[in-house]
Amino acid sequence: MDAKQLGRRLFMECWGAGKFAVLDEILDADHKFHLPEGVLDGIPAYREMLEGYYHAFNPTIEIVRVIGEGDYAAIHYTDNGNFVNDLADSSGMLKATGQSYSTFGVELIYTKEDKIIEAWPGHQSLAQYTQAGLYVPKVD
């Protein structure tokens, strides 16, 4: 399976359909997910993050395009959903608002031997949190 196919499976089956068992098939055991606040190491940490996100936001993921070069792929996707269940994050418990959001992102993945080794997400988190009622920008 090439990088583009792995990226499609990650977003359509895991992020979009909640098939978390697929992570064991497509992620390397030492998978690294690079976030601004640090790196999630390994499948269990990634699964915990993804399950929390999926259950809190009930996302509908659509792939816009996938671009691949060798062992790398960039997945451009849309993410639409509703903040329907509370979400624990690094700042504490975020209470569900029921509000909807519509964002997009691009994630870069590095693969080797039919597994995703590393990933660097680029998602409109601020737009998502604002639309979902979690953040109200200060207006002067």
Side-chain angles (χ1 to χ4, degrees):
M1 193 173 317
D2 68 15
K4 290 169 54 173
Q5 292 168 318
L6 286 166
R8 285 183 192 283
R9 285 197 73 193
L10 176 65
F11 278 87
M12 296 313 299
E13 295 179 44
C14 302
W15 284 91
K19 296 179 181 176
F20 307 119
V22 172
L23 295 172
D24 296 319
E25 297 174 30
I26 64 173
L27 297 185
D28 184 76
D30 296 321
H31 178 265
K32 302 215 179 308
F33 189 66
H34 298 271
L35 295 167
E37 58 272 15
V39 177
L40 293 178
D41 286 310
I43 296 172
Y46 187 88
R47 182 188 322 274
E48 180 180 356
M49 176 273 306
L50 176 55
E51 286 178 351
Y53 185 91
Y54 186 84
H55 293 298
F57 293 106
N58 192 26
T60 298
I61 304 292
E62 291 186 28
I63 293 177
V64 177
R65 69 186 48 84
V66 179
I67 300 169
E69 183 176 312
D71 293 333
Y72 289 88
I75 302 93
H76 175 203
Y77 62 93
T78 61
D79 177 356
N80 302 287
N82 295 291
F83 187 20
V84 293
N85 291 301
D86 295 348
L87 174 67
D89 78 351
S90 59
S91 64
M93 185 62 69
L94 303 174
K95 295 293 184 187
T97 64
Q99 291 180 247
S100 63
Y101 69 90
S102 179
T103 62
F104 70 87
V106 177
E107 184 162 318
L108 177 65
I109 62 170
Y110 168 64
T111 67
K112 192 168 188 168
E113 298 175 6
D114 296 333
K115 298 284 184 177
I116 300 172
I117 307 297
E118 289 186 83
W120 297 265
H123 183 261
Q124 293 183 304
S125 299
L126 181 58
Q128 177 185 14
Y129 275 38
T130 301
Q131 293 171 35
L134 292 168
Y135 172 77
V136 178
K138 182 181 177 185
V139 179
D140 293 325

